[in-house]
Amino acid sequence: YCVEFRTESLSQHCALETRPYARWMQYLREGHTVCVTCQPPAMSAATRRCSGDGHNAHGDKVLHWEAVGNSQCQGTWKKIQQLERCSCPLVHSFIFT
C-alpha cells in the first residue's frame, strides 16, 4: 500500500546532499505531497504494516521522518491518506525501510 504525506518541514542538510545515490534529497520541499510505499521486507508479517506509516494519525498530527543514508536529512510531515497504489510522480515517491 501507499501513504501520501505533506512535507511540513525539513532540515537544511537535505539540500546539501551531493552523493550520487542520495541526490533525491535535494528535491524535497516543504508543502509538497510525497508518496511512500510499504513493501516487504519492511512490512511486518504480524501487522502487515510498515513502521512509521502513521496508521492512526489523521488531521493535524505531525509525524517525524529521517532519510536513509543521511540521518541529518530529517523533518516532519502530515498524513493525507492511504492508497492501494501510489499516484505521485517518481521523483516524489519513496519506500519505507
Side-chain angles (χ1 to χ4, degrees), residues 13-28 67-70 73:
H13 296 282
C14 302
L16 302 175
E17 182 59 69
T18 58
R19 293 173 293 175
Y21 67 88
R23 283 197 187 123
W24 60 268
M25 295 176 202
Q26 296 175 358
Y27 299 101
L28 293 170
V68 171
N70 181 351
C73 176

Side-chain angles (χ1 to χ4, degrees), residues 2-5 32-36 83 85-94:
C2 179
V3 183
E4 288 184 355
F5 295 95
H32 280 195
T33 297
V34 297
C35 297
V36 188
L83 305 164
R85 288 209 159 118
C86 285
S87 59
C88 286
L90 214 50
V91 73
H92 292 247
S93 295
F94 306 96

Side-chain angles (χ1 to χ4, degrees), residues 3-90:
V3 183
E4 288 184 355
F5 295 95
R6 184 178 55 253
T7 307
E8 298 291 314
S9 68
L10 57 136
S11 67
Q12 63 191 24
H13 296 282
C14 302
L16 302 175
E17 182 59 69
T18 58
R19 293 173 293 175
Y21 67 88
R23 283 197 187 123
W24 60 268
M25 295 176 202
Q26 296 175 358
Y27 299 101
L28 293 170
R29 297 285 183 273
E30 291 179 9
H32 280 195
T33 297
V34 297
C35 297
V36 188
T37 304
C38 178
Q39 301 174 352
M43 186 182 291
S44 164
T47 64
R48 305 286 294 155
R49 305 202 68 80
C50 284
S51 175
D53 71 357
H55 176 58
N56 291 321
H58 298 286
D60 288 336
K61 182 160 182 157
V62 175
L63 305 168
H64 294 270
W65 58 266
E66 180 180 301
V68 171
N70 181 351
S71 61
Q72 293 183 12
C73 176
Q74 54 188 279
T76 59
W77 56 19
K78 291 181 182 178
K79 180 179 175 183
I80 298 171
Q81 64 180 329
Q82 180 177 319
L83 305 164
E84 286 306 309
R85 288 209 159 118
C86 285
S87 59
C88 286
L90 214 50

